[in-house]
Amino acid sequence: MTSSRVPPRTEPVRSATGLRLRDRIVGAWRDVLSRPLTDYIMILFTVIALTSIGVVMVYSSSMTWSIWEGGSVWGTALRQAVMIVVGLAAMWVCLMVRPQTIRTFAPALLIISIVLLIAVQIPGIGTGREEVGSQSWIVLGPLQFQPSEIAKVAIAVWGAHYLAGRGPATHWLNNHYMRFAAVAGVMTLMISMEGDAGMAVSFLIVVLFMLFFAGIAMGWIVVAGIAVLLGMAALALGGGFRSNRFSVYFDALLGNFTDTRGTAFQSYQGFLSLADGSATGVGLGQSRAKWFYLPEAKNDFIFAIIGEELGLLGGALVIALFAVLLFFGLRTALRSHDPFLSLMAATLTAAVVSQAFINIGYVVGLLPVTGIQLPMISAGGTSAIITLASMGLLANAARHEPEAVSAMASYGRPTIDRLLMLREPTSELTSRNAPVDKPARNDNPGRDRAAASRERFGEPVTARRPTREASKDPSGTTGSLRNRPSPQRSREPGYPRRAPDDRDNRYRR
């Protein structure tokens, strides 16, 4: 008689290959994040990638309009390339400047931006009312720029200078948060007087991000958000082209465009462009919407051309690059030990990325059309220069992370810094945040600086540490002479003495 054995129950076995692959990916990602210069390199890479995509897409979306305006097919693309080169030069200058210098000139930058906001209101200096409906441009010969673009960077830099390192508010009204909000409120009102509601909303978003990162109570953020919503409701009910934008927005949400040849023409054509692109796009340079179907194809609605020519994959790539910029920009802010650099990096990152997602949001129909550009991609001279300069400030903050400073001090500058002729960053804090405790006696300044550096950044990677127990003296001290008690100290009162034994008596015999 044979007995049948029942095989034991076994748990489902996971694929070892899958586990190894996942572990390798997670390990590689953690290894990249642990490197001291990762934030700096990734910010530079992301900015260059977005700028390169912008130049290519401006050329593709503007060729027909360039010919219509009487120029060559390369006209707009060449102008944009020149502005990008100037913007990269401004970015390099911002990388060269020491953080202390940036903070020193922050009040001057704010004053200049306020003066420009006043000047744009003066007839004969400000322009744009007849062309685009808002008097928000200043023309100086061949140079044409928007003071509101400068004001967004100025309020971020000055706000970081004014709010960084300050303690919590001691009074609900008379405090540094409210004084900053008062200055920002005046500047927002001046931008609104230009007739550019979209830029005013964009500026106000930068102010709210600054207050949030500076630590204001969330109740005030909620109050400000309610005020913004009420203002948008007033615009929607006030009539005119801004009211039409809100009606088109609600029509887009419901998928029911009522006036595709009038008020909804631009949004409807943008939707058609995205639909034509499908997953992989119709091909670079093959857009049909740019043949005078889609107004502002090279500016506000350039993301629709990206979706049409490069498809869902191209649009997802642009969104992913802005998400990478957001991640590493905020990571730079968290890793910085200087409150000024931390607050400036967080606000500049949030300002650029929020503007990008607002632009993408109204192109795909998730937000009302505001008329703001897609940063580093849309055609625009001063916008590209100012945005790249702000990214230079962000990269400068990443270069001054404690780990980056320590790595460059130990192993030298990376190749990109040597090519750009950038000086080695220092661990010096900006003036308001510098330590105020002073030693009573400074007999050895070098030792004090080394101690302060170890306190901020930890032990240098090149420092030698005793790793063997054999290097310790039997008495419990290490083999180093500086750790052994001196004969003079051993004779001081109260110093612990060892009980005498025969080895002590042999010297007396």
Side-chain angles (χ1 to χ4, degrees), residues 291-312:
W291 290 90
F292 313 112
Y293 289 103
L294 179 62
E296 301 297 332
K298 62 182 180 180
N299 292 322
D300 301 349
F301 274 73
I302 194 171
F303 187 77
I305 304 298
I306 294 175
E308 182 182 6
E309 294 188 350
L310 305 181
L312 177 63

Side-chain angles (χ1 to χ4, degrees), residues 134-177:
S134 61
Q135 188 168 329
S136 55
W137 297 84
I138 291 180
V139 180
L140 297 176
L143 182 62
Q144 186 177 4
F145 64 94
Q146 284 183 284
S148 53
E149 293 280 357
I150 302 175
K152 288 197 301 182
V153 179
I155 198 65
V157 177
W158 177 77
H161 160 74
Y162 184 72
L163 297 176
R166 293 181 179 267
T170 57
H171 190 272
W172 73 276
L173 184 60
N174 185 17
N175 57 66
H176 47 281
Y177 295 120

Side-chain angles (χ1 to χ4, degrees), residues 104 106 159 259 292 400 441 486:
T104 301
D259 189 9
F292 313 112
H400 286 82
R441 185 177 179 181
S486 62

Side-chain angles (χ1 to χ4, degrees), residues 407-422:
M408 292 189 197
S410 301
Y411 305 110
R413 296 170 298 163
T415 304
I416 184 65
D417 281 14
R418 292 196 295 269
L419 291 175
L420 296 176
M421 298 178 291
L422 299 178

Side-chain angles (χ1 to χ4, degrees), residues 271-469:
F271 281 7
L272 293 180
S273 299
L274 294 172
D276 289 342
S278 187
T280 58
V282 298
L284 186 62
Q286 303 302 315
S287 169
R288 292 183 287 271
K290 66 185 179 184
W291 290 90
F292 313 112
Y293 289 103
L294 179 62
E296 301 297 332
K298 62 182 180 180
N299 292 322
D300 301 349
F301 274 73
I302 194 171
F303 187 77
I305 304 298
I306 294 175
E308 182 182 6
E309 294 188 350
L310 305 181
L312 177 63
L313 297 179
L317 174 62
V318 173
I319 295 175
L321 286 174
F322 280 109
V324 168
L325 182 63
L326 176 65
F327 176 81
F328 286 101
L330 295 182
R331 189 169 182 264
T332 296
L334 291 175
R335 291 162 64 90
S336 178
H337 285 192
D338 190 324
F340 166 71
L341 291 179
S342 178
L343 192 52
M344 182 183 69
T347 306
L348 290 176
T349 301
V352 172
V353 176
S354 63
Q355 178 178 337
F357 284 110
I358 289 174
N359 177 276
I360 295 173
Y362 71 67
V363 170
V364 300
L366 295 178
L367 294 173
V369 176
T370 58
I372 62 175
Q373 297 179 331
L374 187 59
M376 293 179 283
I377 294 183
S378 295
T382 56
S383 176
I385 295 173
I386 296 169
T387 303
L388 288 175
S390 67
M391 292 298 95
L393 296 176
L394 175 60
N396 196 341
R399 287 188 79 237
H400 286 82
E401 290 180 5
E403 292 80 2
V405 174
S406 178
M408 292 189 197
S410 301
Y411 305 110
R413 296 170 298 163
T415 304
I416 184 65
D417 281 14
R418 292 196 295 269
L419 291 175
L420 296 176
M421 298 178 291
L422 299 178
R423 295 174 295 182
E424 184 177 309
T426 63
S427 59
E428 178 185 2
L429 293 174
T430 52
S431 58
R432 181 174 292 180
N433 303 311
V436 296
D437 297 333
K438 295 183 180 180
R441 185 177 179 181
N442 190 10
D443 295 332
N444 193 340
R447 182 177 298 177
D448 293 341
R449 287 194 296 269
S453 178
R454 284 195 300 271
E455 184 179 355
R456 289 187 59 216
F457 304 129
E459 193 71 19
V461 294
T462 56
R464 296 183 179 180
R465 299 179 177 88
T467 57
R468 297 181 181 179
E469 293 295 327

Side-chain angles (χ1 to χ4, degrees), residues 68-89:
W68 177 264
E69 294 171 357
S72 66
V73 69
W74 299 90
T76 304
L78 288 177
R79 287 195 299 270
Q80 182 68 11
V82 171
M83 292 300 175
I84 291 297
V85 171
V86 176
L88 292 176

